[in-house]
Amino acid sequence: MQTKAPIIFVQFSVDIPIGIGDHSDKSRSRNVGDLDSVANLEIPNEQKLNLLNYFGVCAGHFLEIRAVEDIYDKKIYEELGLVNGQLLIIIHSGAMTGKDILLENYYYKAIDYVVHNKLFEEKDIYEGVFGIPIQSRIGKSYLQAAIALINYSYASRHYSHYLIESLFKKHIDAKSSFELISDICHSKIISNDDGSILHARGLQTLYPAQHEHSLEPFKKTGDIGLLAGEKGTSSHLVVPKNNIKNTDYQCSHGTGKFNNPGKIDELPQYVHDDIKATVFDTEYDIENMLLQDFLNTKTTLNTLENEFEMIKPVVRLAPFINFWGEKNTYN
């Protein structure tokens, strides 16, 4: 089915044929703005061209192909139409030049605004502890820029989805088919209903089953989230439990980094036992990084599932092919 994806990150509209999906994919996505309008980014043409140059990059910052293995919740597993051994492709897409755009065109202007109006102490500004009135011109333009970059990332991910499907059909299996499960935004600046602003980096917004704000396709199951593992460790599809309200419905999207004092030989024995069955690039295990990352993955899942009781795993996704890199390393 041919559709058109409006690209809304510049002051003009560009229609790009994406070849898959339709606007119903938006029902599986959160924090995406109005894709049928044009949001202006007040940025130089050079930065607009940089956004175009990175559009559709499939592995920015990385791409995972994982296999469905252990099943923890058979009911949700069947609701999602998953099959044991099935490959899931996880595209980590973003506005790779977005940080520079926000810094150069909005953040520095926000600092000038705060200093000029003497809204915060200089020492606080130096530490990055300051804010700008959301109804001011700079406040509104900052939010609009954040929304535009999120929408850019959504459209870019959508097009990279098409590129990957085309690759599979051409070189692997002409009968392969793809269906979007969930589109998660884990770096966002959003305006809440009460007028407050939330900047959530590294967090995904997940609502439990039957919650008024859960995504329509997931009303029965709760929003589907991803607890991403490290390069050689497992990831997990998860759903939120009611306790997630204690964190304002925000959940880590990945393992993070735990500081594990002590020597590698002091790690739990199950880590050493389980890791024997893991295939990995030997260069990755410099200074036993894989063992540390494996423990981080286990620790994070255990903390969120059992200590905070805010999520439950649906399936374990075993590493199959994980590709990490920046654009200039694989063009």
Side-chain angles (χ1 to χ4, degrees), residues 243-305:
N243 274 355
I244 199 171
K245 65 184 179 183
N246 297 330
T247 57
D248 199 23
Y249 302 98
Q250 303 299 316
C251 175
S252 169
H253 86 288
T255 61
K257 295 292 182 183
F258 283 88
N259 292 319
N260 297 307
K263 299 179 181 179
I264 291 299
D265 57 12
E266 296 174 356
L267 293 177
Q269 184 58 43
Y270 74 82
V271 174
H272 295 279
D273 294 339
D274 287 356
I275 211 70
K276 292 178 182 179
T278 302
V279 178
F280 61 95
D281 181 350
T282 53
E283 292 182 1
Y284 174 56
D285 205 33
I286 297 173
E287 298 180 355
N288 292 296
M289 288 172 58
L290 181 60
L291 284 170
Q292 290 281 10
D293 288 343
F294 190 85
L295 182 60
N296 288 343
T297 301
K298 290 277 191 179
T299 303
T300 303
L301 179 63
N302 180 66
T303 300
L304 297 177
E305 180 186 7

Side-chain angles (χ1 to χ4, degrees), residues 20-160:
I20 62 165
D22 53 40
H23 282 288
S24 67
D25 283 348
K26 287 173 61 180
S27 68
R28 296 173 179 268
S29 307
R30 190 178 298 284
N31 301 120
V32 177
D34 184 1
L35 293 177
D36 295 318
S37 65
V38 177
N40 291 335
L41 281 178
E42 300 170 4
I43 62 177
N45 287 334
E46 181 181 355
Q47 291 182 340
K48 294 177 183 179
L49 290 175
N50 284 340
L51 287 174
L52 286 169
N53 188 39
Y54 281 104
F55 186 78
V57 173
C58 297
H61 49 282
F62 60 99
L63 173 74
E64 303 176 65
I65 301 179
R66 293 183 173 272
V68 175
E69 289 213 350
D70 297 336
I71 303 166
Y72 304 112
D73 191 308
K74 187 175 181 181
K75 183 177 180 180
I76 299 179
Y77 165 85
E78 292 176 346
E79 184 81 20
L80 294 176
L82 298 175
V83 178
N84 197 35
Q86 180 180 15
L87 295 182
L88 267 64
I89 297 178
I90 304 166
I91 303 170
H92 296 255
S93 178
M96 300 177 74
T97 60
K99 291 180 181 178
D100 291 336
I101 287 174
L102 284 177
L103 280 174
E104 295 175 15
N105 302 282
Y106 299 93
Y107 188 76
Y108 296 149
K109 289 181 180 179
I111 293 177
D112 290 341
Y113 180 94
V114 170
V115 171
H116 178 75
N117 291 279
K118 299 179 180 180
L119 299 179
F120 288 84
E121 296 291 333
E122 185 176 333
K123 62 180 181 63
D124 293 328
I125 298 173
Y126 181 79
E127 295 292 333
V129 182
F130 69 93
I132 52 178
I134 196 57
Q135 295 302 324
S136 66
R137 183 183 181 280
I138 183 63
K140 290 179 179 179
S141 63
Y142 200 109
L143 267 183
Q144 185 183 47
I147 293 171
L149 289 170
I150 288 173
N151 289 352
Y152 162 85
S153 300
Y154 172 82
S156 178
R157 195 279 310 154
H158 211 61
Y159 188 61
S160 63

